[in-house]
Amino acid sequence: MTHTDALAGAIATPLIDHHCHGVSPADLDFKRFQALFSESYRPPAPGTTEFQKPLGLAIRRFCAPVLDLEPSCPAEAYVERRLALGAAEVNRRFLRGSGLDSLLVDTGLRSSEILDVPGMAESAGRPAREVVRIEAVAEEVAQSCGSGAAFPRAFADRLAERAQGAVGLKTIVAYRCTFKIDQTAPSEAEVVEAADRWFAAASFAGKWRLEDPTIVRHGLWLGGELCRQRKFPMQVHVGFGDPDVYMHACDPTHFTDFIAAMEKWEVAITLLHNYPFQREAAWLSEVFQNVYYDVGVILNYAAPMSRDILGEALEMGKFSKFLYSSDAFGLSELYYLGALLFRRGLQQVLDRWLEEDFCSLKDAEELIRLVAYENARRIYPLNT
Ligand SMILES: [Zn+2]
C-alpha cells in the first residue's frame, strides 16, 4: 500500500470552511460566469477569456464531471450545461459535493447578489454561521446616523447587535488603508471629526465606501473589544483576494503592533488568504500565541501549482494554527475546487513527509484532523 492510499480515508474527513461567502442564485451567462472567477474589476483583455488560466483549467477538468460533462470539455459547453441545469441544482451539487462539516460565512460583500446564511445552509445541507464584517457595519450605520457626534454610539450598538448570533468579526483594513498605518486607537473626538468629514464627502459623492484610516482604526479597536468579550476571533484579510490593494503594504508583518495588542486581550487573529505572504503568516503564527492563518482562494487560482503554495505555508507553520478556507464567492464551483485542491495538496505534501520518514501515519492523520476541523472548533464558538 502506498502512503497516498493510507491517507485517503483521513483526507476525506469533513472540512470546516472558516472563511467563505454566499453563492449567486442567478443563472449566469458566459460573461457573468467568467466575471465571478476573476479577481479584477476589469473584463479580460480583448480576444482572451478567464478560462485561459489555471483556475479555468481546473473548472473544466474537475467541475465538468459534476455537471455530467466530459472532463476538460469546452468552456462554452460548460456554461451552457450550467444554464440548462439551473443555478439551484448546480449550487446544490457543488456545495454538497465539497465534503464540508460547516461554513463560516462572511456576509459583508455584495450581500444583495448572493445567497444569505440560511440560504447557504440549505443549499449545502450543512450548518452555516455568520462572520460580521466590521467596515460593512460602519458603512451601514453611517448612512442613517446623521451626525459625526452620533456615530461612535450608533456604530458600537449596531456592531454588538450584529455580533449576537455571529461566530467572529472580520476586518478589511488591508485593502482600505493597508497595514502600514498608525495602529493605536483614535480618541472619540478624532472619530467624531473624521465621521463628519466622511459623511459630508459621502453625501456629496453618493458613495459610502469607508476609507478613512481614523474610522477604520476605531472599528478595529471596537471590534477587538467585542471579540474579547465574546471570546471569538477577528479575521483579518491579508494580500491576494481583492483588486483594490497596494499589495506591498499588505504584508501582515506590518500589522504586528495590533496583533500584539490583541494577544494581550487573548483575541485570536485569523489571517485570511495571505498569498503571497504565506511564509510571513506562518512566521507570525509561530511567534504570536493568538495568530492563525490559511491559504484560502489562492489554491483555486494556482490549481496545479497549489500544492507548492500549501507546502510553503506548512514549511515552518504550526499545524495547530493552520485552517482551511475556500474564500469562495459567487460560484459554488469555488467551494468544490477549494476543498478538492486542499485535500489533494495536503495529501501530496504529507505523502512526501511520510516517504522521507519525517512522520508516522498517525502523525499525518492528526495533522489532517487539526487543519480540517479541530483548530477551527478550538477558536470559534461553533456550539453556541
Ligand atoms: Zn473573502
Side-chain angles (χ1 to χ4, degrees), residues 138 141-143 145-149 151 194-204 208 215:
V141 171
Q143 292 175 60
C145 97
S147 76
F151 179 74
D196 275 328
R197 256 195 333 261
W198 176 27
F199 298 172
S203 340
F204 182 72
W208 291 86
I215 307 277

Side-chain angles (χ1 to χ4, degrees), residues 67-144:
L67 304 187
D68 317 310
L69 296 164
E70 287 299 317
S72 305
C73 74
E76 293 73 17
Y78 183 87
V79 176
E80 250 168 58
R81 175 65 182 158
R82 210 182 185 279
L83 280 166
L85 281 171
E89 172 64 13
V90 168
N91 291 341
R92 210 184 59 85
R93 287 192 190 187
F94 284 122
L95 287 169
R96 295 187 183 214
S98 300
L100 297 179
D101 169 281
S102 50
L103 297 72
L104 312 190
V105 184
D106 170 1
T107 50
L109 177 65
R110 288 152 67 184
S111 48
S112 60
E113 300 163 43
I114 51 174
L115 292 180
D116 60 11
V117 177
M120 287 303 294
E122 198 193 318
S123 188
R126 300 303 310 161
R129 304 293 299 272
E130 186 179 14
V131 175
V132 173
R133 192 184 281 211
I134 298 167
E135 293 80 4
V137 174
E139 287 166 353
E140 191 187 304
V141 171
Q143 292 175 60
S144 61

Side-chain angles (χ1 to χ4, degrees), residues 230-252:
R230 302 287 312 275
K231 299 192 189 317
F232 60 35
M234 182 184 289
Q235 299 185 341
V236 179
H237 171 104
V238 179
F240 185 79
D242 203 85
D244 47 356
V245 297
Y246 289 97
M247 189 63 98
H248 60 284
C250 290
D251 178 333

Side-chain angles (χ1 to χ4, degrees), residues 3 20 23 47 50 57 75 127 137-138 160 184 191 196-197 204 219 226 250 254 271 274 304 328 358:
H3 295 306
C20 48
V23 298
E50 293 294 343
L57 288 182
V137 174
T184 59
V191 174
D196 275 328
R197 256 195 333 261
F204 182 72
L226 208 50
C250 290
H254 290 303
L271 304 174
N274 294 305
F358 276 104

Side-chain angles (χ1 to χ4, degrees), residues 19 21 170 273 327:
H19 172 65
H21 305 265
K170 177 186 175 186
H273 324 308
D327 189 35

Side-chain angles (χ1 to χ4, degrees), residues 154 169 184 214 276 314 348 368:
L169 299 182
T184 59
T214 306
L314 288 169
Q348 286 165 334
I368 292 167

Side-chain angles (χ1 to χ4, degrees), residues 318-359:
K318 284 196 163 172
F319 325 135
S320 52
K321 302 288 201 67
F322 192 50
L323 301 162
Y324 169 69
S325 91
S326 66
D327 189 35
F329 175 91
L331 300 181
S332 47
E333 280 89 343
L334 302 177
Y335 273 92
Y336 183 80
L337 279 178
L340 182 142
L341 293 167
F342 183 77
R343 288 191 174 103
R344 275 174 74 108
L346 191 58
Q347 189 164 349
Q348 286 165 334
V349 168
L350 290 176
D351 220 27
R352 192 179 134 194
W353 293 7
L354 285 164
E355 194 61 45
E356 294 175 2
D357 204 15
F358 276 104
C359 65

Side-chain angles (χ1 to χ4, degrees), residues 137-215:
V137 174
E139 287 166 353
E140 191 187 304
V141 171
Q143 292 175 60
S144 61
C145 97
S147 76
F151 179 74
R153 189 57 201 262
F155 183 23
D157 288 350
R158 183 79 60 87
L159 194 61
E161 186 191 312
R162 289 287 312 279
Q164 281 295 323
V167 295
L169 299 182
K170 177 186 175 186
T171 175
I172 52 168
V173 53
Y175 52 85
R176 293 300 170 83
C177 309
T178 80
F179 289 133
K180 288 182 85 171
I181 55 166
D182 172 1
Q183 288 156 41
T184 59
S187 69
E188 175 146 343
E190 286 171 320
V191 174
V192 169
E193 200 192 311
D196 275 328
R197 256 195 333 261
W198 176 27
F199 298 172
S203 340
F204 182 72
K207 279 190 194 145
W208 291 86
R209 185 183 158 88
L210 170 59
E211 283 171 338
D212 184 288
T214 306
I215 307 277

